[in-house]
Amino acid sequence: TVVVAALASHEASEQFLAPFAACAIGEQFMEEGNDVLVVFDDLSKHAWAYRQLSLLLELPPGREAYPGDMFYVHAQLMERAGQLNRERGGGSMTFLPICETQQGDVTGYICSNLISMTDGQLYLSSELFYEGIKPAIDVGLSVSRIGNKVQSPALRWASGSLRLDLLQYYELQRLTRFASSPSEQLVLRQRRGALLRRLMAQPAHQPVSLDDQTLLFYAFHTGRM
């Protein structure tokens, strides 16, 4: 593991160059035939550093006072990820960019830029976290453009409708929050949704194997739990 750190006390120029330095290190491992994962924590701070540099250089500001080439800078960074062919050693480099939302707004300038460049996003909700749902992933705002294409056929079949079931459960909770006497069918749907919600939570540092995931989702999908 290699950590390239540019702290808040460092110069804005160092904070701007840190992700590019991390990419250069990752490329060295990739060209040696290794599989590399680069985590950017986080690119919203990187954008702030670039905005500060641009304002000091008196460059014309654009949207939200960011420089006009803000999208290009992050796109240029993201394009360095990829997989080499066998003639080049077969190494790969995967990026996991992290950005901060302001009051949960995923339509912000930096967030929307990164969403348009990546293969999807995981949105972590502070509300779910405080409710004890960990990992606190909001299934409504989280999207995968790869989807079930990378899943095994068994897991794809077992988990096909889980996202829709969970979204329907959250909507049902919202609509029946003030219901005085819900019907028996409604109560059963709420219990099933609560079970799925508990099924999606997992303790920290205890990953669930692919086989166990498939069995659990199969049991829920067929009504055996």
Side-chain angles (χ1 to χ4, degrees):
T1 302
V2 179
V3 178
V4 180
L7 307 180
S9 58
H10 291 178
E11 298 289 340
S13 57
E14 294 182 31
Q15 297 179 39
F16 173 72
L17 292 175
F20 297 97
C23 285
I25 297 173
E27 285 172 344
Q28 175 64 34
F29 289 109
M30 177 178 65
E31 291 174 358
E32 294 174 355
N34 298 301
D35 297 321
V36 182
L37 173 66
V38 182
V39 181
F40 299 106
D41 185 15
D42 65 89
L43 287 185
S44 50
K45 302 296 190 301
H46 177 252
W48 295 353
Y50 186 51
R51 177 171 59 183
Q52 183 178 350
L53 288 173
S54 300
L55 293 176
L56 289 173
L57 294 172
E58 298 183 355
L59 297 177
R63 177 180 169 185
E64 297 182 18
Y66 288 106
D69 62 342
M70 188 69 255
F71 180 88
Y72 167 76
V73 169
H74 280 167
Q76 188 182 39
L77 185 65
M78 294 295 104
E79 287 174 352
R80 297 173 70 169
Q83 183 171 9
L84 301 179
N85 56 27
R86 293 183 180 179
E87 289 74 15
R88 295 286 301 277
S92 68
M93 186 161 64
T94 302
F95 287 168
L96 183 60
I98 300 174
C99 69
E100 180 183 359
T101 60
Q102 299 296 325
Q103 297 181 342
D105 182 17
V106 296
T107 63
Y109 183 43
I110 303 302
C111 295
S112 57
N113 282 350
L114 292 175
I115 287 174
S116 66
M117 301 173 195
T118 55
D119 293 322
Q121 74 270 0
L122 290 176
Y123 179 78
L124 301 179
S125 168
S126 57
E127 295 180 1
L128 294 176
F129 181 84
Y130 294 137
E131 292 178 10
I133 308 297
K134 301 175 184 178
I137 298 176
D138 189 318
V139 296
L141 296 177
S142 300
V143 177
S144 174
R145 295 184 179 88
I146 299 176
N148 54 20
K149 296 181 179 64
V150 296
Q151 293 177 337
S152 66
L155 182 61
R156 186 186 308 127
W157 179 86
S159 62
S161 62
L162 295 185
R163 182 173 184 270
L164 180 60
D165 292 340
L166 200 57
L167 287 174
Q168 289 177 343
Y169 167 68
Y170 289 144
E171 183 68 15
L172 191 64
Q173 268 194 320
R174 187 182 68 83
L175 294 176
T176 61
R177 184 170 299 172
F178 304 104
S180 57
S181 55
S183 63
E184 183 179 350
Q185 184 180 5
L186 198 59
V187 171
L188 291 176
R189 290 180 61 185
Q190 287 178 324
R191 289 177 180 175
R192 182 173 172 81
L195 176 62
L196 178 58
R197 189 177 180 179
R198 292 198 302 270
L199 187 63
M200 290 297 184
Q202 70 182 66
H205 312 299
Q206 296 183 25
V208 181
S209 68
L210 180 62
D211 293 339
D212 290 343
Q213 291 180 46
T214 304
L215 288 174
L216 288 172
F217 292 153
Y218 172 78
F220 179 84
H221 184 73
T222 57
R224 300 175 186 270
M225 62 182 306

